[in-house]
Amino acid sequence: MRKFKGLLLAMLASATFGFIPLFSIPLLNSGIALDSVCFYRFLFAAFFMWIICKIKHVSLKMNWKETYTMFLLSIFYAATSIFLTASYKYMASGTATTIHFFYPVVVASVMMLFFHEKFSWGKAIAIIAGVLGVFFLSGGFSGQHVSLIGFLLVLVTIITYPTYIVGVNNSPVIMKMNGMKMTFYVLFFSAFLFFCNVIIRDGGHFTPLSTGTQWANALALSIIPTLVSDFALIYAVQMVGSTVTAILGCMEPLVAVINGLIFFSEKFSYSEGLGMALVFTAVFIIILNQKPKKQDFAPENADAVKKGPQPD
């Protein structure tokens, strides 16, 4: 049951990330600067997570090691967003997304080389299907020009995002932390980093939210593809591990394509149809490969289950 919940949370995290364009594009088109959009997104999400922690009576006290570790992980998380967004200025977003989605390969490699995770043909085939699925969802062989600057920018995300995911799953300090508390500090520190980004890059000029539509989109952006996504991601990593969570990230571009078809009247292509089939294949393989471990049901784990999700 715990494995099944972890798979659902991993797919929920990935799927809700796919809603980012749905709420961010209207904000950008209405004149809100990109850096301000990122700041509002994480600031509001951190505020909502703070309210949830208060309602659930979750202590937010941190010692020095926890603060240092969470801030470091948040740097990698925020850097992923910054560099991936910046790469869109130099290449098509679909091409950037395809390159970025090689991060499951990095996650799987790191877990096998440094954390002794066993090689699995099921995971390997799922990674291949997922990468190919994202490739075709993003346009396939469309002949898009890839600039060196754009390639280097998105290449950074292949390092920063796996570092964040693996760190959440394997840091001794983070392993003991409550998932809600962890989510709050990731969002809070990310908001702080984007605040610093606006101060440095834009001279402290924050584009104000001046209309009801802008506020609605900003709040939706902070809740669905930020608060819900990050919260589900952290618990998914704790329940099913870094590699499986990374592979199931292929749901993000799938949902983004579906949203484009429904809300932005984008045309459906054979390439996208093939991409969807491959993504579903990857998800199906991962589900089939999840076998419950005996220790998941052992009496000695009863206390851990009561306290909340713990790393595998």
Side-chain angles (χ1 to χ4, degrees), residues 3-289:
K3 291 286 186 181
F4 180 68
K5 288 181 179 179
L7 291 175
L8 289 180
L9 286 171
M11 287 188 283
L12 175 64
S14 178
T16 48
F17 272 130
F19 282 86
I20 292 176
L22 181 62
F23 303 118
S24 61
I25 290 177
L27 284 171
L28 295 171
N29 290 341
S30 68
I32 307 297
L34 176 60
D35 291 335
S36 294
V37 169
C38 292
F39 171 67
Y40 293 139
R41 174 189 174 191
F42 287 97
L43 177 66
F44 295 157
F47 175 71
F48 291 133
M49 194 67 236
W50 176 80
I51 292 176
I52 293 173
C53 288
K54 289 297 182 182
I55 294 174
K56 294 291 186 178
H57 303 290
V58 175
S59 174
L60 296 178
K61 293 182 179 180
M62 298 256 282
N63 58 41
W64 184 87
K65 286 186 178 180
E66 289 176 329
T67 303
Y68 170 78
T69 304
M70 285 307 306
F71 183 73
L72 185 62
L73 286 176
S74 298
I75 290 176
F76 287 107
Y77 181 79
T80 302
S81 178
I82 292 173
F83 282 100
L84 185 60
T85 303
S87 71
Y88 295 159
K89 297 180 181 180
Y90 301 94
M91 64 167 65
S93 59
T95 305
T97 300
T98 301
I99 298 173
H100 169 67
F101 196 73
F102 274 92
Y103 75 81
V105 179
V106 177
V107 171
S109 300
V110 170
M111 292 302 296
M112 285 188 292
L113 290 173
F114 300 102
F115 298 98
H116 310 293
E117 183 176 282
K118 292 182 179 180
F119 174 80
S120 166
W121 279 109
K123 290 180 181 178
I125 295 172
I127 288 175
I128 295 172
V131 171
L132 288 176
V134 173
F135 171 70
F136 286 110
L137 280 171
S138 302
F141 298 98
S142 58
Q144 291 286 348
H145 172 69
V146 179
S147 73
L148 178 60
I149 296 177
F151 177 77
L152 292 176
L153 286 171
V154 75
L155 195 63
V156 173
T157 70
I158 302 178
I159 304 300
T160 56
Y161 197 51
T163 302
Y164 171 72
I165 293 180
V166 173
V168 168
N169 190 208
N170 295 279
S171 170
V173 176
I174 299 302
M175 282 180 172
K176 303 175 184 178
M177 190 178 295
N178 179 282
M180 293 184 184
K181 177 180 176 180
M182 192 189 310
T183 303
F184 168 75
Y185 279 107
V186 167
L187 297 172
F188 175 78
F189 285 135
S190 295
F192 172 75
L193 291 169
F194 281 114
F195 173 82
C196 295
N197 186 50
V198 173
I199 296 297
I200 295 172
R201 292 184 56 184
D202 299 333
H205 176 67
F206 294 87
T207 310
L209 299 171
S210 55
T211 68
T213 301
Q214 288 177 341
W215 274 98
N217 280 312
L219 292 173
L221 180 64
S222 69
I223 295 173
I224 298 175
T226 308
L227 176 60
V228 174
S229 298
D230 293 340
F231 185 74
L233 177 68
I234 286 173
Y235 275 85
V237 170
Q238 291 178 326
M239 288 182 176
V240 294
S242 305
T243 303
V244 170
T245 302
I247 297 172
L248 292 177
C250 59
M251 292 292 293
E252 177 183 347
L254 174 62
V255 172
V257 167
I258 293 174
N259 282 334
L261 295 172
I262 297 174
F263 298 103
F264 299 113
S265 301
E266 296 178 357
K267 295 182 179 180
F268 185 76
S269 67
Y270 290 111
S271 175
E272 290 171 339
L274 178 58
M276 286 184 177
L278 287 167
V279 166
F280 284 127
T281 299
V283 172
F284 184 67
I285 292 172
I286 286 297
I287 292 174
L288 288 181
N289 274 268

